[in-house]
Amino acid sequence: MGAKDITEKNLEAYNDVFADIVNVLLFNGNRLIKEKELEADTKDSMFKADGKIHQQERDVSKFWKNGEIRISILGFENQTVQDYKMPLRVISYDGASYKQQLLDKKLKKNYPVATLVLYFGTDTKWVAPKNLLSCFDIPEELKPFVSDYKINVFNIAWLSKQTIDMFQSDFKFVANYFRSKRLNKNYVPSSEELQHSDELMKMFTALTGDKSFETAYNKVILEKKGGITMCDVVERIENKGADRGRIEGKAEIIRKMLDTNFATEQQIADLLKISVKEVKKIAAKVPVQA
């Protein structure tokens, strides 16, 4: 399993975040699912192919209990790239859940399965198949006899501000960021205190490929006591960008200092409070004078 999958699921695995996402996306903000009604599900399922046993796993999966009755199981599938075989993946996961129920002799009542596909792309909405029949070229005469299976895809970057405002967990920061990115607007951070700051920063890093979120966050926790906000993190990111811009503006001076042996790479690094590796990288951008 890739690092992106692992880091994404850390935040959503918290009951408050899981319940919040489902309540907003499925129930229009009505708080039908409570944190205490959720319990972790065994996400792994097995299937046999080519004479071998294979393992498949959902990103996040929990049982939703109403009192002592299990009435549903909800699973998430996170996507940053459109998957044209997603209906095949979802039906295999859901089918495995039903298979487990069939084999569980102690289970007194069966329960339905629902899977949410959260798509974080910002270039276009999800255009890949959203139902099983769309994955195949089927003769019209055969279509009535092939069972269809739809999947539930949510375009997070296209959620309205009204919908995003319904989120009460840290997921609202994720939704706001990707909406701003899709609209090509500057992200305006919130001053609200983060509940799961470490997991949130890891999710940002995983979804964007930008390590500055975690780097800035690590600096914040060293400098600040008390609650951390997105303002704290974004401020550190912007300051780092400004500092780097000022340093790169002096690239020619750095190059000349090295060429004339006025200072060593280590001395320049110590002066500018950057690494020797960064000094070499900045100096390399300026052609060596003949």
Side-chain angles (χ1 to χ4, degrees):
M1 183 182 302
K4 180 173 290 188
D5 294 329
I6 295 172
T7 51
E8 280 174 359
K9 71 178 60 173
N10 282 347
L11 178 66
E12 293 161 357
Y14 283 100
N15 280 359
D16 64 315
V17 179
F18 190 100
D20 191 36
I21 293 172
V22 177
N23 285 330
V24 171
L25 298 182
L26 299 192
F27 307 137
N28 198 33
N30 293 324
R31 300 290 145 180
L32 298 186
I33 294 183
K34 308 294 191 299
E35 292 180 48
K36 63 182 179 181
E37 296 173 348
L38 292 171
E39 67 176 29
D41 174 34
T42 302
K43 303 177 299 250
D44 297 342
S45 59
M46 303 289 184
F47 66 96
K48 190 173 184 179
D50 303 323
K52 299 179 181 179
I53 299 297
H54 300 266
Q55 185 182 60
Q56 59 185 7
E57 181 181 353
R58 292 176 183 269
D59 285 344
V60 181
S61 185
K62 293 180 182 288
F63 281 107
W64 175 24
K65 304 183 299 177
N66 187 354
E68 295 299 320
I69 304 173
R70 289 176 177 172
I71 62 174
S72 182
I73 179 173
L74 302 166
F76 288 111
E77 284 296 323
N78 292 322
Q79 287 295 122
T80 53
V81 178
Q82 299 198 31
D83 185 347
Y84 283 77
K85 293 185 178 181
M86 181 56 75
L88 299 177
R89 288 180 56 196
V90 172
I91 195 173
S92 70
Y93 293 151
D94 292 354
S97 294
Y98 290 125
K99 179 70 171 180
Q100 288 175 348
Q101 294 182 53
L102 187 63
L103 298 176
D104 189 350
K105 303 300 182 183
K106 297 181 180 180
L107 188 65
K108 296 181 180 179
K109 186 176 181 180
N110 294 326
Y111 48 84
V113 179
T115 297
L116 286 68
V117 177
L118 306 185
Y119 175 57
F120 295 94
T122 57
D123 294 331
T124 63
K125 285 187 176 181
W126 183 276
V127 296
K130 292 184 180 180
N131 66 308
L132 193 60
L133 289 183
S134 296
C135 296
F136 316 116
D137 291 325
I138 307 175
E140 289 297 323
E141 297 81 0
L142 184 60
K143 281 186 177 181
F145 304 98
V146 179
S147 297
D148 203 1
Y149 199 83
K150 74 178 184 68
I151 62 174
N152 308 298
V153 179
F154 297 90
N155 296 285
I156 302 304
W158 271 264
L159 294 178
S160 67
K161 188 176 185 306
Q162 181 181 10
T163 298
I164 293 176
D165 287 343
M166 293 180 187
F167 289 114
Q168 297 179 3
S169 71
D170 285 351
F171 191 77
K172 63 176 171 286
F173 304 117
V174 178
N176 264 319
Y177 176 83
F178 280 95
R179 183 174 186 271
S180 297
K181 187 176 180 182
R182 191 260 303 176
L183 293 173
N184 292 318
K185 291 184 177 180
N186 289 329
Y187 172 61
V188 180
S190 169
S191 58
E192 295 178 63
E193 185 175 332
L194 307 179
Q195 300 301 310
H196 309 291
S197 53
D198 183 60
E199 292 77 11
L200 180 62
M201 293 308 116
K202 288 177 179 176
M203 186 171 189
F204 272 126
T205 298
L207 292 175
T208 64
D210 185 354
K211 295 182 179 180
S212 62
F213 288 97
E214 286 188 269
T215 301
Y217 169 71
N218 290 333
K219 186 172 292 187
V220 172
I221 59 179
L222 291 175
E223 298 173 354
K224 183 179 180 182
K225 294 181 179 179
I228 295 174
T229 71
M230 283 303 297
C231 284
D232 297 325
V233 175
V234 172
E235 181 182 345
R236 299 316 189 279
I237 293 175
E238 292 176 345
N239 287 344
K240 182 179 179 181
D243 290 343
R244 183 167 184 82
R246 286 192 291 271
I247 292 171
E248 290 188 348
K250 300 175 181 177
E252 189 171 350
I253 297 175
I254 293 174
R255 177 78 262 173
K256 288 182 178 179
M257 291 173 71
L258 292 172
D259 290 343
T260 59
N261 294 320
F262 184 81
T264 65
E265 291 173 342
Q266 185 61 61
Q267 289 172 330
I268 295 173
D270 292 340
L271 178 66
L272 298 177
K273 296 182 179 179
I274 60 176
S275 67
V276 171
K277 184 178 179 180
E278 285 185 279
V279 171
K280 292 180 179 180
K281 187 176 180 180
I282 293 169
K285 294 180 180 180
V286 181
V288 177
Q289 298 295 322

